[in-house]
Each structure stands twice: as C-alpha cells, then as structure tokens.
Amino acid sequence: MRRCAWPLLRLPSRAGLVLRHGGAAAARLRPAAASSSSSSSSSVGGDGSSRAPDTSLFVPVPLKPVGDAAGEDVGAELTRPLDKGEVLKNLNKFYKRKEIQRLGAENGLDARLFHQAFISFRKYIMESSSVSADLHIILNDICCGAGKVCLLGHVDDLFPFFLRHAKQIFPMLDCMDDLRKISDLRLPPNWYPDARAIQRKIIFHAGPTNSGKTYHAIQRFLSAKSGIYCGPLKLLAHEIFQKSNDANVPCDLVTGEERVYANEDARQAPHIACTIEMCSTNTPYEVAVIDEIQMIRDPARGWAWTRALLGLCAEEIHVCGEAAAIDLVTELMYTTGEEIEVRNYKRLTPLTVLDYALESLDNLRPGDCIVCFSKNDIYSISRQIEARGLECAVIYGSLPPGTKLEQAKKFNDPDDPCKILVATDAIGMGLNLCIKRIIFNSIVKPTINEKGEKEIDSITTSQALQIAGRAGRYGSSFKQGEVTTMHHDDLVQLKEILSESVRPVKAAGLHPTPEQIEMFAYHLPDATLSNLIDIFVSLSQVDGLYFVCNIDDFKFLADMIQHIPLNLRSRYVFCTAPLNRKEPFVCTTLLKFARQFSRNEPLTFDWLCRHTKWPLAAPKNIKELVHLEAVHDVFDLYLWLSYRFMDMFPDAVLVRDIQKKLDDIIQVGVCNITKLIRASQSTVAPGTAEVVSEDFPLSRTKRDTRVASGRHGAKSTEALSIAVEVPGERRAKNLKAYRSATRQEDLKSHGRGSLANRLLREGLLTQEMLRQLESEWHDQHRNGRYGLGSKRDDQNSSKETGKKKK
C-alpha cells in the first residue's frame, strides 16, 4: 500500500485542492474557489440587487467515457484495477454529503446543476475503461480505506475532479463574469458613439390621430438638406417616398425587401424614407423623423425605435406619436444629455361617440367602416353586406401592400359604388381613408404580452383611439368623425375605454445584437443559437427604462433550422427573417432556403418558381386566396434575403416582377371575396378548413337574433349568421343575458381557435358530419332543448315545482 501515496508528491498543482476529512477540506478549498463563486452564484440586476442565473437554461455538453482504445491505464499500473462496485458506493456517498453540496453552490452549482453534473460524473467514471492517473489513485485510496479507522482517502477528495468535470459539461461556469459583461444592457446610449459625438436636438410632436403632428415633422424633413424618415410600415415609408419626390426632393426608399433610388444612376439621394428596422445609425443627416414613437414599448419590435432614438446621427430628431410617450423619451434623453422640446397638437376634426349601436347591417351608411379582429369575422360580414346589394372593400393585415392600397383607393373613390369598408385594425396606421363612421364589430382582441403569451382581452385605450381616430380625416369629404359598436352592450364598454387616459409608456425595448451573440458563442461554442439567446436573456441586466423584447419568433426559427450546418452570422440572419410562424408554407420555404444555402447552391428564379408552382391562377375559394397570400410572403422572404446574401439569392429583379403579378391576382380574389366564401362553403374537400357559419356554436363569434333599435325607435330583428337564420323573436331581456353568456363562452374558446376548423384539419370531422351537427343543433335549439328555450323551461318547471310545494 505504500505506493498509493508517493504519486501525490508528483502532483503539486492538484495537491493544494485535495480534501481531507470534511471540515478541513472545505476550509482548504474555499480560498481557491472564491473568485469563481463570486461571479457564478449571482447576477446583479438594474436595481443593484443580486439574482442567480436561470440554470434551467444551461444545457450540459455531452462528455464521452474513455474507451478501450485510449491506451495504457497508468493509474492501474501504479495502484491496482478499480473495483467498480466499491467505486459506485463511494460516489453515492460523495453525492449525499451536505458539505459537498454547499461547496458546489459556492462554485456556481445549484441543486439542479449539481445533480446533472454528478450524474454525468458518475456515468463517466463507471463507463470509462480507464480514468486519469490522479483520479484513479484517489478512487483507489478511498476504496482501500473504506471502513478503516486510519483512512487513506476520503470521498471529499473527489470534489476537485467533480468540479473540473462540471465545468467541462457546463462551460458557462468558468466564464460567468464575461457572459454577464456581454449581456449587460444597462447603458444602451453608449452603443452609439457617433450619435454621442454630436449634440442633437429632440423635438417631440405629440397628439392624437389626425392632429397634423406628422405633417409638421415631414415639412421640416422636406426643407432640410438631408434627412431620414423612419416609419413602422412599408406603406408609410412608400407614402413619404412618393410625397418627397413629388415635391422635387430626391428621396430613396429602403425597406427590408427593396431599395428604390430616386436617381437613375443609383446614386444615394440625400433623403431616405425607410422602415424603422432599416435605418442607418452611421450616416449623418440634418433631420430625422421617427414616426409612431409609442411603439417603443412594443414587445416584439420596440428595440427598433430604441435604436433609432438613441443612435440616429441627426442634428434634429423629430419624434411623432402619442403624448403617453413624452415622459419616457424625456428620461431617455436625460441619460444622453440632450434637450427635448415638446409640441402638442389637437385633433383637427371633431370625433363623436354615438349613443346608439348599429345593431343591424341594414343601418349601414356610405363612409362606414366595420372593424373586426379576425379574418372569419371579415369574411362573415362582407358576405352579409353584399347579400344586401351593397359593395364593400376589404382590408386585413396579411394582404399585400398593393392590394391594401387598391382596396383603399376603391373605397375612397367618390365615383365607385363601393361605399362600405370591412377591415381589421390594420387601418390604424399607414392608409389614408375617407371614413365617416367607425363601427367596432367587437372590442375583444387577441394580443401577445411581454412574455410571449397569447391573451384575450378588451382593446386598450391607445388601440381604440388609434382606430376610432381614422374617422373624419382632415381634408376628406367628411368633416366630422363618428364611432360606435355593432352591438349595444359593447358600446357601454367602448365609451369607458375611450374615456380613460392612455397609459404612459414605461419602458423601451432592447434586443441582443449579432456581435453580442457572437461573443456568447465564443465562450459557449457547443450551445445552440436558441440556447445562447435564452442564456443571454437570463443573464441580461437592464435598468428600469428598458426591457428585453420577446424573442419567441427568433427562437422558433433557430430551433427549426438548428440541424442545418450554417455559420453563426448566417444562422442569426435567417432567424431574424420577418415571417409569420403560423404560416406552414412560409416556414417550410425558409427551411428549404436555409438547406440549399448551406450547400452553397444559389436559389434561382427557376428553383423558386418550381417550389411555388408559379404561374398561379386566380383563387376559386378562400383556401386558395390564403395560399396566394402565403406565396406573396415567400416572395417577400426571398427579396429580404437577397439584400443580405446577394450571391445566393441572385434573381431579386425577376422575383419582384412576378410578385407584382401575384399582387394583381390577389386583388382579383379580394374583389370577389364573397364568391370565394360561397365556394369555400359548398366545395371544401374533407379534412380541410373552411369558413364555418358564425351562427353555429362551434365557431368563434356566435350571435343570436339582434333587436335593432333605430334612432326613431323602429325595431327590426336580424340574424348575423352566414347561412342559417334562427327563426322566432326573442325578448330584449333574454337577448342581453344570452349575448353576455355567449361572449363569455367566446372568450374561453377564442384562444384555442375554431373547434370545427381544428377537427376538420385533423381529419376527425368531415363536412357531412359538420352539416349534420349544425342541423341537429338548430333543431334542438328550435325545440327548446338548448339556449334560451332551456332557460325558460327551467324557469317554468321551477314555478310548477313551487306551486306543488305550496
């Protein structure tokens, strides 16, 4: 046994860390681990408090056990082969010791990491044919001295080897200080040295919709020697681009998908109109305009407004938006040492909230706009309107910009018979519309909160004002705007919402940059991009003026293309592509783009045409229209990538040409949208989704008979269903109770989507079964088995029971 001790003399660097007999061992180790524990166990927040990192995000790096081919077992030659049974017993003793767990915590291993590290450490030792000589000797000493009074070794002696193993599978433990410095987001103004090198003047144009605030900022933009306009939408950037060039002020257009030069020789013009994500923080300008500044609080895109506000190199920065953002912008500018001048504006035309709801589509007037928060509602109402012999324009978010403009032009044209507009809240900005009256079909809207969770709630005061403010636009044929709801019980709540003050904007969004993620990847080379982002956000430190934007879309794409071999910068670019992850066709196309890109094969025009089956015919039903919109998004995606990887996406000009043709095809489909709805209901193949009758209770918005009260007291009963009307009149008292119960049920089911559509997609329900269920439900409804009838039956039966008791 003497030879068990002498090799320790040859390991001076390790000997200082060898633990002996519990307490003394801990005392010996703590000085060596002091610096590590200070950085690993806590993270300093913006308020100066300490918080531990979210270790659930730490993914262990696999460490393979040593095989037979590793060579000679030096440890076995110096001592003897290990008894794996005895080794396992002592490893389990090591794991259970409280002192070891405390030492692990001091070195950054919380209970979760300690457990994962031990499982890996034990597996490595037990499955390896040989271990390092020093570890072999320690294990042998522990096994030889087990149960003896004079111990040759103690299980605590394993801790340095355990800690070394833990840092191999969790490399972030060794570089926590560096990771915290990289993810420190507490001083965003310092990220833009060019902007800090000049003295900028900030002018805040505050006011509601239709107050002229943006107009005054644009006038200064046009009069400057150079300028940049930053807007939230391509439509807004395009509008300023056209206005500038029409005013003989050369202006370029820059969006994520295209760049249009004012000069024929492609020289950069002194003025630029761009979407806000595309603004340059390195180019000097005389004047910059940042539109819709209140979107700095947006959970997904707020970072772009923060970047523009802090980073634009302009002598004057004109900020336009709601007064609710004044305090935050003032505080942000205080941190940069810059002045802010506030100019307040009032609405140029009066806006009146009516005392009566529309109640019936028979009460529509020219200049009315019905605002919905779902496509199904748009399909339903547009069909009902045209069934009354009226033409209507349709605008919703997923339509191409060209189609939106054409529909707006059709509605605004005084010589066009189309006098009604049905739209989503996409009309809230970006389109100039001649609307007399805004009618909210519903005041409930699905939203995404800061955590990326879907919520169903009433619209906010800011949203209501933004939409309602579109009525009575200054300079249009309507000198006064009006706003109301489709249903009377919504009107009371809408008035409450509009009477409240807009909540102040409290914080500005931030997003990790590619450079920060690259530095993270340098320290954690084996982590996936999604995991890198998670760890970054977990360790990030922000002060009270900022928040980290939601990154769920980014992570979704990162996970989707993780298996494709790409360098980190290219992978990051693909993950920031602007697409709707709810569109399977678009997502699978991005996957194919990334796969071909990784093989260094250019994505040509012919390849894209084969993938999208171009040329495409006009849609025959709603499903085909939705697919055409997805193909348009694919073309957008190609163009977006072509400006970042020009050699791999070389045919941007050809793709833009067919995208314009596709826009025309979609316009034809939207103009015939009611025909497409009828076709969808009559000829949908089993297993596919269709527009379900909104009177049928499986659909999202269920409306029974409505008692419409005109201004003169006239009443008319109308069923707001697409196909089937429920016969019979209901008393207003019962209607109110039924609508209230129905709306509560809607709120419960809204987040899950239409049950009928989901069952159809999954093949669990066919169209024939759906029609039979609908027919049965209406029969039962008429017979009083459900709905109001059952309520009356219950009331009658309770009365009879009461009489019997008496």
Side-chain angles (χ1 to χ4, degrees), residues 37 41 65 84 126 211 247 325 332 457 551 569 772:
S37 65
S41 61
K84 289 296 179 78
M126 297 304 295
S211 61
L332 292 177
D457 202 358
I551 53 169
R569 181 60 70 111
Q772 186 177 348

Side-chain angles (χ1 to χ4, degrees), residues 389-444:
L390 302 173
E391 282 194 39
C392 68
V394 173
I395 296 175
Y396 50 87
S398 60
L399 284 177
T403 304
K404 290 178 186 174
L405 289 172
E406 283 300 316
Q407 289 291 299
K409 183 179 178 182
K410 178 182 178 182
F411 174 70
N412 290 339
D413 187 354
D415 299 325
D416 196 292
C418 173
K419 302 299 180 187
I420 309 296
L421 176 63
V422 183
T424 63
D425 53 344
I427 64 164
M429 59 179 71
L431 292 168
N432 291 321
L433 297 162
C434 297
I435 299 172
K436 168 66 174 176
R437 180 171 59 172
I438 289 283
I439 302 157
F440 285 91
N441 183 58
S442 169
I443 54 172
V444 174

Side-chain angles (χ1 to χ4, degrees), residues 7 74 273 293 304 359 380 405 432 440 453 456 508 527 533 583 591 605 629 645 693 744-745 777:
V74 177
I293 187 62
E359 296 289 356
S380 167
L405 289 172
N432 291 321
F440 285 91
E453 300 165 340
I456 307 296
I533 288 286
E583 290 287 351
L591 193 61
F605 176 76
E629 293 168 5
F645 307 110
S693 167
Q744 289 177 359
E745 185 62 29
W777 184 83

Side-chain angles (χ1 to χ4, degrees), residues 236-246 249 251-253 260-262 273:
L236 285 170
H238 196 272
E239 180 186 348
I240 302 303
F241 164 73
Q242 285 188 322
K243 281 184 177 179
S244 298
N245 288 294
D246 290 345
V249 177
C251 180
D252 293 342
L253 174 66
V260 181
Y261 293 95

Side-chain angles (χ1 to χ4, degrees), residues 287-559:
V287 169
V289 177
I290 304 174
D291 208 356
E292 305 294 351
I293 187 62
Q294 70 276 1
M295 289 189 71
I296 201 169
R297 68 180 163 201
D298 187 82
R301 297 179 65 200
W303 63 269
W305 276 263
T306 305
R307 175 176 172 269
L309 181 63
L310 297 177
L312 283 173
C313 294
E315 298 170 22
E316 288 180 27
I317 295 185
H318 293 256
V319 177
C320 307
E322 296 175 0
I326 292 177
D327 289 345
L328 176 63
V329 174
T330 302
E331 287 191 64
L332 292 177
M333 294 303 98
Y334 177 79
T335 65
T336 64
E338 293 165 335
E339 305 177 14
I340 178 168
E341 174 189 339
V342 179
R343 300 178 186 176
N344 289 296
Y345 299 82
K346 293 184 178 180
R347 186 178 165 86
L348 298 174
T349 57
L351 179 66
T352 304
V353 182
L354 301 179
D355 292 326
Y356 56 91
L358 186 71
E359 296 289 356
S360 169
L361 296 178
D362 293 328
N363 297 326
L364 286 172
R365 302 194 301 255
D368 279 350
C369 172
I370 302 177
V371 176
C372 310
F373 295 112
S374 81
K375 274 190 184 180
N376 275 347
D377 289 346
I378 284 190
Y379 298 151
S380 167
I381 289 175
S382 60
R383 179 171 178 183
Q384 294 174 64
I385 290 172
E386 297 207 4
R388 288 163 169 77
L390 302 173
E391 282 194 39
C392 68
V394 173
I395 296 175
Y396 50 87
S398 60
L399 284 177
T403 304
K404 290 178 186 174
L405 289 172
E406 283 300 316
Q407 289 291 299
K409 183 179 178 182
K410 178 182 178 182
F411 174 70
N412 290 339
D413 187 354
D415 299 325
D416 196 292
C418 173
K419 302 299 180 187
I420 309 296
L421 176 63
V422 183
T424 63
D425 53 344
I427 64 164
M429 59 179 71
L431 292 168
N432 291 321
L433 297 162
C434 297
I435 299 172
K436 168 66 174 176
R437 180 171 59 172
I438 289 283
I439 302 157
F440 285 91
N441 183 58
S442 169
I443 54 172
V444 174
K445 178 186 178 183
T447 57
I448 303 295
N449 64 18
E450 288 85 350
K451 298 179 181 179
E453 300 165 340
K454 190 172 183 179
E455 296 178 338
I456 307 296
D457 202 358
S458 298
I459 56 175
T460 64
T461 300
S462 175
Q463 292 168 336
L465 289 171
Q466 186 82 24
I467 298 168
R470 308 306 289 177
R473 184 172 67 89
Y474 181 76
S476 71
S477 55
F478 301 113
K479 305 301 180 186
Q480 180 174 347
E482 297 173 347
V483 59
T484 186
T485 58
M486 179 69 77
H487 311 292
H488 182 72
D489 47 344
D490 285 339
L491 184 57
V492 177
Q493 192 171 353
L494 178 64
K495 288 183 176 181
E496 291 177 1
I497 292 171
L498 292 173
S499 65
E500 295 173 357
S501 57
V502 179
R503 293 180 181 177
V505 180
K506 296 290 188 181
L510 296 174
H511 193 281
T513 65
E515 292 77 19
Q516 289 170 324
I517 299 304
E518 280 184 337
M519 286 190 284
F520 248 59
Y522 172 79
H523 290 289
L524 307 174
D526 296 306
T528 66
L529 179 56
S530 177
N531 190 229
L532 285 174
I533 288 286
D534 273 337
I535 297 174
F536 184 96
V537 174
S538 168
L539 295 177
S540 63
Q541 304 169 57
V542 295
D543 65 24
L545 296 177
Y546 301 96
F547 68 94
V548 179
C549 284
N550 180 270
I551 53 169
D552 282 353
D553 287 346
F554 185 98
K555 286 173 55 187
F556 172 82
L557 297 180
D559 289 333

